[in-house]
Amino acid sequence: MQHISCKALIQHGSFINGSWQLHDNRFDVINPANQEVLAQVATATAADAEQAVLSAELAFAAWAAQPAAKRAEILQRWYQLIMQHQDDLARLLTLEQGKPLAEAKGEIAYGASYIQWFAEEAKRLYGDTIPAPSADKRIIVQRQPVGVVAAITPWNFPNAMIARKAAAALAAGCTFVVKPAQQTPLSALALAELADQAGIPAGVFNVVAGTDAKGIGEVLTRHEKVAKFSFTGSTAVGKQLLKQCADGVKRVSMELGGNAPFIVFDDADIDAAVQGLMLAKFRNAGQTCVCANRILVQRSVYQSFADKLAITMTQLTVADGLADGSQIGPLIDDKAVAKVTQLQQSALDQGATLLLGGGCHSAGKQFFQPTLISDVNADMAISKEEIFGPVAALMAFDTEQEAIELANNTEYGLAAYFYSRDIGRVFRVAQALQFGMVGINEGAISNAAAPFGGVKQSGYGREGSHYGLDDYTDIKYLCLGGL
Ligand code: NAP
């Protein structure tokens, strides 16, 4: 933690109603690169979560009543403070999550860009007037903040997954309570410190950091004062939380798991496809929901694509995220290493071929070698589950129709990618892919101006873009009669 120069960013307890909750019952935050304890954070309980919800409820009326321009001004201040502290926030993020520092800096800027975007969008929360069916009536439509928003976020983007939700919620006039993943609470608490410095009023932005995910989750999904629940995480946990929200008929957004196909057609620019795959596969050591999971390559270009990819992959630097030039950091924990190892081994047992890598890296027990596997097929577990590690699995196909069928053969529908220079094929395939986001000759698709989200069991709701406010507003119809 000596790498962090602004010590105020290192906080050790939840942030509820504008104050830090410090007590002796603490949990360890571990650096995944070397398993050292980075910090101990006071463990929030379900009762703390309830207190956070009540403080958000108390703060709601005043925050919602602020002119949009005022909320925008405060959010802009938050954005600026985050960018001023980008280096420290990035180091903190790398320490607790593991990703290379350059990527962590990218995540801080990416998360902050949503705050900037929604600060601007806050002023454009337009309503509507609709021609009425009779002369004595007027129809007016207004958009109002839903109320208290509760959120639960994962460890793979400890800053951005919170910023993306909070930015839209606060811009719309909602108040916010988030439970970050227990492995990465420090980035969330640093965001709270800067929210406070930016002048976000007490109770408007609350962070509840604890290890009782189930207990805290019960409060955040069932409390009568929570109007909306937003979750980013695995599909399995998302399904459970959806059921909990159903009892209170809460509004819900779900950003869940993915199983992205990455298709390389025979007319593609193969070098560009390799570069695109490097972005789509190896960011965050393969631990993103939009990571390329199934790499489908047309048979006539399969060998040349595999050869070029192997050469490019050998140039990846695996090292502690704080080390100069690191491109692949550690996996988040032992369980992640075991899962990646097991998926790879079962593919090899069923006839896949190992071309590169294939096990832990000498950098440490949670570092996995960039690995390339060929001759994968759709029946293998590695094609059905999120790999969440730096393992690229190649599968051959013959026709466009076969590629589309293979790509859509999953219960997930978050991101897909394909490379082609045939304009007709580009439109046909883009239309046929059953995914919320499609990268066409592009491996990095996410930004604040674009709607991020999935279909099928990858969830619903959109984060970012002008659509992003919809999830945090209710439409109210006013009928003026007797005119
Ligand atoms: P996870 O196990 O579902 O955990 C996510 C969050 O849910 C954590 O804060 C966790 O808390 C909490 N949680 C776990 N069990 C819970 C329960 N019973 N009740 C309430 N909360 C509970 O997912 P993960 O392994 O951390 O994250 C990886 C997953 O997230 C992948 O599937 C990835 O694809 C997905 N993801 C999706 C997106 C997207 O935008 N679609 C973005 C990023 C990640 P604890 O940490 O305290 O256990």
Side-chain angles (χ1 to χ4, degrees):
M1 297 298 264
Q2 72 275 15
H3 301 284
I4 314 299
S5 52
C6 176
K7 298 301 178 202
L9 295 177
I10 306 171
Q11 293 293 342
H12 296 95
S14 295
F15 186 71
I16 297 173
N17 201 22
S19 64
W20 299 102
Q21 313 286 305
L22 299 171
H23 51 73
D24 288 341
N25 185 12
R26 290 167 174 255
F27 65 101
D28 292 342
V29 184
I30 308 286
N31 181 344
N34 54 23
Q35 293 76 51
E36 282 173 11
V37 176
L38 287 169
Q40 292 188 314
V41 172
T43 313
T45 60
D48 295 317
E50 172 148 23
Q51 202 199 328
V53 169
L54 293 175
S55 74
E57 163 69 8
L58 256 176
F60 171 65
W63 181 248
Q66 295 274 7
K70 182 69 185 165
R71 288 199 301 273
E73 187 189 311
I74 296 173
L75 287 172
Q76 287 284 9
R77 249 192 334 261
W78 196 20
Y79 161 76
Q80 277 152 9
L81 282 167
I82 291 169
M83 291 310 291
Q84 276 165 25
H85 291 88
Q86 184 183 13
D87 287 345
D88 267 349
L89 291 170
R91 279 191 285 269
L92 195 61
L93 202 162
T94 291
L95 283 167
E96 67 174 347
Q97 199 276 336
K99 67 180 61 174
L101 190 59
E103 275 189 41
K105 281 183 80 167
E107 178 177 340
I108 300 302
Y110 169 78
S113 74
Y114 283 84
I115 296 174
Q116 185 184 43
W117 172 270
F118 283 111
E120 292 157 356
E121 284 296 300
K123 294 181 274 186
R124 296 176 184 81
L125 199 53
Y126 300 135
D128 212 355
T129 59
I130 298 174
S134 61
D136 66 339
K137 286 195 171 66
R138 298 290 181 274
I139 297 174
I140 298 172
V141 177
Q142 295 180 338
R143 292 168 76 190
Q144 296 192 330
V146 295
V148 174
V149 173
I152 296 183
T153 53
W155 50 264
N156 60 349
F157 288 88
N159 171 293
M161 294 302 102
I162 295 172
R164 221 158 70 163
K165 296 180 193 302
L170 267 55
C174 301
T175 52
F176 192 78
V177 178
V178 62
K179 187 207 90 66
Q182 62 183 276
Q183 284 159 315
T184 56
L186 301 177
S187 295
L189 299 174
L191 270 177
E193 166 63 25
L194 296 178
D196 194 34
Q197 288 183 23
I200 292 177
V204 171
F205 180 79
N206 306 274
V207 179
V208 178
T211 51
D212 180 14
K214 200 169 177 313
I216 294 170
E218 283 282 333
V219 174
L220 299 187
T221 51
R222 293 191 193 277
H223 199 288
E224 59 168 345
K225 299 296 183 193
V226 172
K228 189 216 157 78
F229 178 71
S230 179
F231 177 70
T232 299
S234 62
T235 296
V237 173
K239 284 180 187 177
Q240 177 56 39
L241 298 176
L242 258 176
K243 287 180 195 153
Q244 292 172 205
C245 286
D247 285 340
V249 197
K250 304 226 183 284
R251 291 188 56 167
V252 179
S253 297
M254 287 277 149
E255 297 283 354
L256 306 177
N259 181 359
F262 186 104
I263 312 170
V264 183
F265 287 103
D266 56 6
D267 59 83
D269 175 336
I270 299 296
D271 293 320
V274 168
Q275 289 312 318
L277 181 67
M278 294 304 287
L279 284 175
K281 176 74 243 180
F282 293 104
R283 209 155 50 96
N284 202 11
Q287 304 171 107
T288 88
C289 53
V290 293
C291 265
N293 211 55
R294 296 168 294 149
I295 304 159
L296 313 173
V297 188
Q298 201 150 12
R299 206 172 301 275
S300 57
V301 294
Y302 187 88
Q303 195 57 50
S304 71
F305 180 82
D307 292 345
K308 288 183 177 193
L309 179 60
I311 291 168
T312 313
M313 283 175 60
T314 55
Q315 291 156 14
L316 285 169
T317 303
V318 181
D320 184 320
L322 290 182
D324 274 352
S326 169
Q327 291 170 296
I328 302 277
L331 299 185
I332 190 68
D333 56 21
D334 282 348
K335 274 199 300 199
V337 176
K339 182 186 173 196
V340 174
T341 308
Q342 188 263 326
L343 280 176
Q344 171 197 284
Q345 194 52 50
S346 84
L348 297 180
D349 291 346
Q350 290 173 53
T353 313
L354 183 65
L355 299 182
L356 198 71
C360 283
H361 189 274
S362 55
K365 70 183 185 101
Q366 282 176 220
F367 291 81
F368 207 86
Q369 292 175 311
T371 295
L372 183 56
I373 299 179
S374 186
D375 308 317
V376 167
N377 67 47
D379 297 327
M380 296 176 178
I382 203 163
S383 302
K384 294 180 179 161
E385 294 176 32
E386 282 185 295
I387 302 171
F388 252 53
V391 177
L394 302 188
M395 193 187 307
F397 70 87
D398 290 300
T399 65
E400 182 180 306
Q401 194 50 37
E402 185 189 357
I404 291 168
E405 281 166 20
L406 280 168
N408 288 339
N409 182 23
T410 169
E411 69 261 33
Y412 295 107
L414 192 58
Y417 308 84
F418 69 93
Y419 276 68
S420 167
R421 287 180 290 194
D422 174 333
I423 187 74
R425 172 173 275 166
V426 163
F427 277 90
R428 281 194 305 274
V429 175
Q431 179 116 7
L433 288 173
Q434 296 161 354
F435 293 84
M437 299 174 284
V438 181
I440 304 165
N441 299 319
E442 179 57 60
I445 54 176
S446 184
N447 60 73
F452 190 104
V455 298
K456 293 161 78 176
Q457 291 193 32
S458 289
Y460 41 74
R462 290 295 178 268
E463 294 186 340
S465 82
H466 70 89
Y467 302 105
L469 285 179
D470 294 350
D471 285 2
Y472 297 96
T473 52
D474 283 323
I475 286 177
K476 182 179 278 178
Y477 151 49
L478 309 180
C479 182
L480 276 73
L483 302 175

